[in-house]
Amino acid sequence: MTDKKSIIIKFEAESDQTVGDITKIVGLVQARFFIPIIDALNLEANPRSSRTGSVTDAIQETITNSPKLFPFMTKGVLLASSQYERLDRGRIKLEPNNPKIEGILDGGHNTLAIGLYILGQSMEYHGMTLSSSAKTWDLFKEIWIKNRILVDAYIKDITAKVTKNNLDFLVPVELIVPKDKNDTACVFSFTNNLLEICEARNNNAELQLTAKANQKGYFNALKELMELHNPAIAKRIEWKTNEGGAVKAQDIIALSWLALNLLSPVKEANSDKSLEPVAANKLYSGKGACLKQFEKLMSSPDVTGEAEDGYHAELINAEVRSAFRIAVDLPDLYDYIYENFPKCYNANGGHFQAITACKTLNRKRKVKVTPFKGKEIDTLTPDGFIMPLFYGLQALLGKREKNGKKEIYWTTPPMTFLNDNFCKIVDDYMGNLSLCDYDPQKVGKAQKIYIDAIKTYKMAKAGML
């Protein structure tokens, strides 16, 4: 739990609406009174982190050219706080109890655009220029904090009418609070409904399933294990949409099905139906389907329960946790296969660069790095050639009971196994490429090739290659 931060915002044209246990306070906030929101809140409660682009450009253009129309041209910002106090002159003091679920629920791009505009005006007034590097919310907040004194000085001169007020536009703000902040049951009901409200407000085509899964806490256990055991990869993963990261969460989730496919059956939420495993070729051709099935898995009552905050999901299934421990190793193993496949292909009498798809890929891409660690390499390989070889690693996994709990585990150290056997495995695998006319799409989508790869790994494990 982070320290609580109190925020005082001043409404104009304020009105209240109460339904059930929730009160919504609707009004307009002058830009200069919006500053405490930027100071105190982050976007932890928002499914997406905001970043600059056409949306924020359009918002700032409206503020610049049509400030009087701005409150009618935007849906504004939605805030939530379980603790609040009404003061005089339209002011309300907020004390969000849990920043992971309270704060800015919707309007992250509006908040970023407004913050950039205020900071830009403040710096310009002092003869400075706002850096274009503030492309994400986190980068913006760093620059905001560093130059916060300039904002205060600008506001002081505006108030004293020393300079023109370029912050006289109004921001539409909705604030939702519990109807009775002193009623524990009412507050619990309020916080318990925040996720559903947040999802509904962000439910549009731009909101990826990744954002929703992250907001529900479905990535938390895997993320924590990755940070603990594979920090080099962890810092490159974008778990939250627009937060930044060279590796997308859905790519990590797709790899994790190598182990998750071995789980004992679990029931789907609100159903007696058992969750179906993901077809091996979907790790290559259907990463969206992998993510959708992951969300189903993590929403199963056999897998997660309600966290203490009554909002997020908490992993309760030991076998799933063991699969996540396997998943921590998978990006490095994929990168090893990716880096070494061309060398082993050539070492077994092949001519890798003679394959049209490989030649084209390497001619078009100037930057040559491995997909997950970003290690510089000499040659790139189409992912369709790599994924079946990666999936063959499933042959090295086993299931057992340990301390009364089911567990998926490596039966042999996988990196050592690859060092000893990978080129022999590639020798056996090469024929699949010719059978598919050296087309990576055909190779990556052919279910039979994945089955054959597992058999090849088993043969190598048994010393038969």
Side-chain angles (χ1 to χ4, degrees):
M1 177 79 69
T2 57
D3 293 336
K4 293 182 184 179
K5 294 181 179 179
S6 63
I7 311 148
I8 296 178
I9 55 178
K10 187 176 187 298
F11 279 102
E12 296 182 17
E14 170 196 348
S15 65
D16 291 10
Q17 302 165 357
T18 299
V19 178
D21 290 322
I22 299 176
T23 293
K24 180 167 71 172
I25 304 166
V26 182
L28 301 171
V29 175
Q30 283 191 30
R32 61 177 175 163
F33 296 125
F34 194 80
I35 290 171
I37 295 173
I38 299 170
D39 282 337
L41 297 180
N42 280 309
L43 300 182
E44 292 175 78
N46 199 292
R48 295 173 292 184
S49 187
S50 53
R51 65 179 301 120
T52 56
S54 59
V55 174
T56 51
D57 289 346
I59 294 167
Q60 291 186 74
E61 185 179 345
T62 301
I63 293 171
T64 302
N65 299 327
S66 308
K68 301 297 183 188
L69 293 178
F70 181 67
F72 305 104
M73 297 175 69
T74 175
K75 62 181 182 177
V77 177
L78 173 65
L79 306 177
S81 181
S82 59
Q83 296 297 315
Y84 65 101
E85 180 183 352
R86 290 184 183 272
L87 306 175
D88 58 355
R89 294 178 286 115
R91 297 177 305 148
I92 299 179
K93 181 180 180 181
L94 310 180
E95 286 189 345
N97 191 47
N98 184 348
K100 291 184 178 180
I101 62 174
E102 301 174 35
I104 302 171
L105 300 193
D106 188 26
H109 282 88
N110 268 315
T111 306
L112 176 60
I114 293 165
L116 286 167
Y117 181 83
I118 293 171
L119 185 56
Q121 292 293 314
S122 301
M123 294 181 73
E124 185 178 325
Y125 178 65
H126 289 88
M128 302 168 66
T129 303
L130 176 59
S131 169
S132 60
S133 64
K135 295 184 181 297
T136 66
W137 174 261
D138 289 342
L139 291 172
F140 158 71
K141 279 299 288 273
E142 287 179 16
I143 299 172
W144 173 269
I145 293 167
K146 185 178 178 182
N147 295 281
R148 184 62 177 80
I149 191 171
L150 301 180
V151 177
D152 279 339
Y154 181 50
I155 295 297
K156 182 179 179 181
D157 283 359
I158 286 175
T159 305
K161 298 184 179 180
V162 174
T163 186
K164 179 184 176 183
N165 183 3
N166 288 326
L167 304 182
D168 59 350
F169 62 94
L170 297 166
V171 182
V173 173
E174 296 174 73
L175 168 64
I176 56 173
V177 296
K179 181 179 69 174
D180 185 351
K181 64 181 181 181
N182 298 313
D183 183 334
T184 305
C186 180
V187 173
F188 179 80
S189 174
F190 168 78
T191 56
N192 202 41
N193 287 316
L194 286 180
L195 177 58
E196 193 172 349
I197 293 169
C198 190
E199 275 190 26
R201 284 301 187 97
N202 288 276
N203 189 18
N204 55 50
E206 293 181 1
L207 184 63
Q208 301 175 9
L209 185 58
T210 309
K212 293 182 179 179
N214 180 64
Q215 191 68 1
K216 289 176 181 176
Y218 291 162
F219 295 152
N220 287 354
L222 178 55
K223 180 181 178 181
E224 288 166 7
L225 286 167
M226 193 72 76
E227 289 172 346
L228 183 62
H229 299 291
N230 199 340
I233 295 293
K235 67 183 180 181
R236 290 173 54 82
I237 302 172
E238 182 184 75
W239 296 105
K240 184 173 184 176
T241 306
N242 289 337
E243 195 171 45
V247 177
K248 302 305 177 189
Q250 70 172 15
D251 293 332
I252 296 294
I253 297 305
L255 295 190
S256 72
W257 280 102
L258 177 84
L260 292 173
N261 271 340
L262 298 179
L263 291 173
S264 304
V266 298
K267 300 291 185 186
E268 291 189 17
N270 304 315
S271 173
D272 290 331
K273 181 182 176 184
S274 292
L275 186 76
E276 292 291 328
V278 171
N281 57 1
K282 291 297 182 185
L283 275 65
Y284 166 71
S285 63
K287 289 178 181 173
C290 291
L291 185 59
K292 187 174 182 180
Q293 206 69 351
F294 181 83
E295 187 188 36
K296 286 184 179 180
L297 170 71
M298 297 304 290
S299 65
S300 167
D302 295 336
V303 176
T304 58
E306 195 175 84
E308 286 185 8
D309 60 17
Y311 181 86
H312 294 99
E314 186 171 49
L315 181 62
I316 58 173
N317 187 302
E319 193 176 24
V320 172
R321 187 176 294 278
S322 73
F324 287 167
R325 285 197 293 270
I326 298 296
V328 166
D329 298 329
L330 299 181
D332 287 320
L333 296 170
Y334 189 98
D335 277 4
Y336 177 95
I337 293 170
Y338 190 95
E339 179 181 2
N340 288 281
F341 178 70
K343 304 170 192 174
C344 289
Y345 188 88
N346 290 335
N348 283 300
H351 187 188
F352 185 81
Q353 290 289 2
I355 300 172
T356 302
C358 301
K359 189 194 310 180
T360 302
L361 176 64
N362 282 277
R363 186 174 64 243
K364 286 183 176 179
R365 297 262 294 274
K366 301 296 183 183
V367 178
K368 295 181 171 64
V369 296
T370 57
F372 293 98
K373 223 164 195 173
K375 177 186 175 184
E376 289 189 12
I377 53 176
D378 296 327
T379 309
L380 301 174
T381 303
D383 287 322
F385 290 164
I386 298 300
M387 192 57 80
L389 279 169
F390 166 79
Y391 203 79
L393 288 165
Q394 195 179 80
L396 308 184
L397 295 176
K399 296 179 66 174
R400 66 188 177 192
E401 234 180 73
K402 188 176 181 182
N403 299 324
K405 296 179 180 179
K406 294 177 182 177
E407 179 184 67
I408 298 168
Y409 71 105
W410 291 114
T411 59
T412 187
M415 194 62 79
T416 302
F417 177 88
L418 287 176
N419 280 322
D420 293 341
N421 295 283
F422 186 61
C423 278
K424 291 182 283 187
I425 289 169
V426 171
D427 185 30
D428 190 77
Y429 176 79
M430 287 168 62
N432 290 308
L433 274 60
S434 61
L435 288 174
C436 293
D437 300 320
Y438 298 94
D439 182 343
Q441 293 269 11
K442 292 180 180 178
V443 174
K445 292 179 179 180
Q447 184 74 4
K448 183 180 182 302
I449 293 179
Y450 290 81
I451 296 169
D452 287 346
I454 291 174
K455 290 178 181 176
T456 301
Y457 273 77
K458 287 180 177 178
M459 290 173 63
K461 186 179 176 185
M464 297 171 64
L465 285 184

